[in-house]
Amino acid sequence: MKTRKKILFPALFLLALLLTPALTMFELLHSPSGWSVEENRALATAPQVSMQSIWDGTLAQDAETFYKDHIFARRLLLKLDTAIQMQVLRRAVVHDVVVGDTVLLPAPGFSARLNDEALERKADTIAGGLQSVKQAADEVGAQLLFTIVPEQRTVYAEYYPDWMDNPGQQTKRNRQALLAAIEQAEISTLDLTPVFAQREDLLSCYSRVDHHYTLKGAYLTYQSVCEAFGLRASEIAICETQSDLLGTYNRKLYDLSPVREAMQVVQTPFPAYERLDNGDASDTPLIRVRESGQSLYGDYMGGDIAETIVRTNRPALPRILIVGDSFTNALEPLAVFDFAEMRSLDYRHFDGPALSDYIRAYRPDYVLILRDDVSCLDTDGNGALQ
């Protein structure tokens, strides 16, 4: 029996070594490219063969990357590795996710630990660019409001282990520096951080598996913004679906975490509307409702889009322009209830006129710029508005 075992295990190992390349080639023939949902990236495409790529070694490098991305049973192996790290080794952090029983959080870490002077310089740069935006808003009689919402790691800072570096202090410094600079520029500001801190139902307002707020959190933000504008937000009913939200962090963990969250949708019927995305008529729903399975944060407004226009053809109501990144996605459907027209711009993707010129051409009644306290000091995209 011992002799058989000694022969069996090496034989199985040798068989696996022989079969893996063959099965990988079979997989490549049937699926030479694709998208990794868990890694949120495109898988490598077949390398281009040329004399130059052979000579400079890039062909070998690209071929290795291509093979790694398409090796047989790759996803299954990565999922198995994740399960071992979570359930056998009991690691606190897996794939840059802090694994908890109540919420999932990003592992601490910022691209740079800036001193106060560096923070102020970044904040002054952003505020300086917004001066032209304020001037344009004043010219057309629009109310301008710069709003900061806390990112998920800020809201759930207390869920980080005591021994782990807590990002809450850094996001606080980000907020303080930027709000001070913008207020100095005499632009109206709104910080939603204390508003959320006072909520007793915080777990229903911010996602436990993603870095965004939930739809209820977006509604609280919308109500606060309307109040700051001197408006009253409509009463909107929000309910949970039978579909789970596959958030950023559950995605990274191959959906192996026990933390679950139901997707939230609007129950109140939307008014009649017409929609354009990037200048073309669009039938993308304001909120995609999945009765079961898995939902995505991108189901709000169809994800990040450079320019969206939603018209409800109610001329008695005002018009609003919303500027920001993915945090505005869950907010935009709510504005349809109270505005004749809602336009949204995401300057990470929008290559049209500068915001000040856009405001002069569009002449909205209200302009909302929405940023989160992790990315708010970025000086490109939505941080480089003029």
Side-chain angles (χ1 to χ4, degrees):
M1 181 64 72
K2 289 183 179 180
T3 303
R4 287 183 180 178
K5 286 184 177 180
K6 288 181 180 180
I7 297 174
L8 179 61
F9 290 124
L12 290 174
F13 180 72
L14 180 60
L15 181 62
L17 288 178
L18 293 173
L19 284 178
T20 297
L23 292 172
T24 299
M25 288 303 299
F26 177 81
E27 182 132 323
L28 290 177
L29 291 173
H30 289 78
S31 180
S33 62
W35 181 268
S36 172
V37 173
E38 291 79 12
E39 297 164 279
N40 195 32
R41 69 175 180 87
L43 297 176
T45 56
Q48 298 297 313
V49 181
S50 67
M51 290 303 297
Q52 179 64 33
S53 65
I54 295 173
W55 177 258
D56 61 19
T58 56
L59 177 60
Q61 295 175 3
D62 293 346
E64 181 181 2
T65 301
F66 181 61
Y67 184 83
K68 287 179 178 178
D69 271 6
H70 298 281
I71 192 170
F72 178 71
R74 177 181 184 273
R75 185 180 182 278
L76 177 62
L77 293 173
L78 291 173
K79 188 172 183 178
L80 178 61
D81 171 68
T82 303
I84 291 172
Q85 292 190 58
M86 290 177 60
Q87 300 167 14
V88 179
L89 301 178
R90 299 287 182 180
R91 290 184 172 171
V93 178
V94 178
H95 301 323
D96 294 325
V97 176
V98 179
V99 181
D101 296 328
T102 305
V103 300
L104 303 175
L105 294 162
F110 287 82
S111 57
R113 295 286 183 177
L114 302 178
N115 58 34
D116 290 342
E117 289 185 4
L119 287 174
E120 290 175 5
R121 282 196 299 271
K122 279 179 165 284
D124 289 342
T125 298
I126 294 170
L130 290 174
Q131 289 282 17
S132 57
V133 177
K134 179 180 183 298
Q135 182 178 349
D138 290 342
E139 288 177 12
V140 303
Q143 287 192 49
L144 172 65
L145 180 66
F146 189 98
T147 299
I148 287 186
V149 293
E151 208 245 22
Q152 189 234 25
R153 72 191 73 184
T154 301
V155 172
Y156 293 138
E158 64 184 67
Y159 284 90
Y160 281 96
D162 294 338
W163 54 267
M164 190 176 290
D165 186 25
N166 196 304
Q169 288 300 315
Q170 181 63 41
T171 55
K172 181 180 180 180
R173 293 175 66 225
N174 290 351
R175 289 194 308 274
Q176 290 176 337
L178 185 56
L179 289 171
I182 293 178
E183 288 170 359
Q184 184 69 29
E186 299 183 346
I187 297 172
S188 297
T189 62
L190 176 63
D191 181 10
L192 270 296
T193 310
V195 175
F196 281 103
Q198 297 170 4
R199 299 290 296 193
E200 295 182 357
D201 59 340
L202 196 56
L203 288 172
S204 70
C205 291
Y206 258 79
S207 177
R208 288 169 284 149
V209 298
D210 191 83
H211 63 285
H212 297 100
Y213 41 33
T214 64
L215 190 59
K216 289 183 179 179
Y219 183 44
L220 177 58
T221 299
Y222 177 65
Q223 290 175 309
S224 301
V225 166
C226 285
E227 184 178 349
F229 279 141
L231 305 172
R232 184 170 182 174
S234 293
E235 293 292 329
I236 301 172
I238 295 173
C239 66
E240 294 184 346
T241 69
Q242 297 299 311
S243 177
D244 284 340
L245 174 67
L246 180 63
T248 302
Y249 307 125
N250 249 345
R251 170 180 57 77
K252 289 185 175 182
L253 298 177
Y254 289 82
D255 202 26
L256 294 175
S257 165
V259 181
R260 286 291 179 268
E261 178 180 324
M263 179 70 169
Q264 297 177 2
V265 299
V266 168
Q267 198 169 26
T268 305
F270 286 108
Y273 67 86
E274 56 183 2
R275 172 175 178 168
L276 292 87
D277 289 336
N278 301 324
D280 297 324
S282 172
D283 58 1
T284 301
L286 302 181
I287 299 178
R288 180 179 178 182
V289 181
R290 305 177 195 241
E291 297 300 332
S292 61
Q294 290 180 329
S295 295
L296 305 170
Y297 183 80
D299 289 344
Y300 298 125
M301 294 300 292
D304 301 336
I305 298 172
E307 180 193 43
T308 292
I309 301 173
V310 180
R311 298 190 179 106
T312 63
N313 299 312
R314 295 173 294 175
L317 295 179
R319 300 185 298 174
I320 188 170
L321 173 61
I322 301 174
V323 183
D325 53 28
S326 56
F327 268 90
T328 73
N329 294 354
L331 187 77
E332 293 163 23
L334 308 176
V336 174
F337 287 95
D338 297 304
F339 293 89
E341 184 173 290
M342 185 283 302
R343 293 196 182 195
S344 69
L345 297 176
D346 186 342
Y347 274 89
R348 296 173 304 170
H349 311 289
F350 185 65
D351 58 2
L355 180 56
S356 55
D357 293 331
Y358 194 99
I359 290 171
R360 289 188 179 95
Y362 176 39
R363 306 182 69 84
D365 299 293
Y366 300 95
V367 179
L368 169 66
I369 300 173
L370 186 76
R371 304 302 309 278
D372 70 86
D373 60 7
V374 170
S375 66
C376 65
L377 288 179
D378 292 348
T379 53
D380 57 0
N382 295 302
L385 303 176
Q386 296 183 30

